[in-house]
Amino acid sequence: MIAAGTGLATGSTADDAALEAALAALERSGTDRADLALVFATGEAYPRAHELLHSVRRVTGAPV
């Protein structure tokens, strides 16, 4: 069975937005961890994409 959730955050610092979006996606998926996380970073967040991915992985547990 596939469970999926989405999260979108804007207007915060890039790190806070990544954490907020990841937490929202987990909540909407109904699970407590993810096998896969698909992350989009634009604008001011793009230069911090590497750090954002690590933040999302820590929150979601996604290895990929």
Side-chain angles (χ1 to χ4, degrees), residues 8-64:
L8 172 66
T10 60
S12 300
T13 66
D15 294 343
D16 289 343
L19 293 174
E20 183 181 332
L23 288 169
L26 276 178
E27 183 179 332
R28 290 181 181 141
S29 74
T31 64
D32 60 354
R33 76 175 293 283
D35 294 322
L36 170 74
L38 182 60
V39 179
F40 294 94
T42 61
E44 295 175 10
Y46 181 74
R48 296 192 42 82
H50 185 76
E51 292 85 359
L52 300 180
L53 289 175
H54 285 291
S55 295
V56 170
R57 288 178 77 180
R58 277 193 305 274
V59 169
T60 63
V64 179

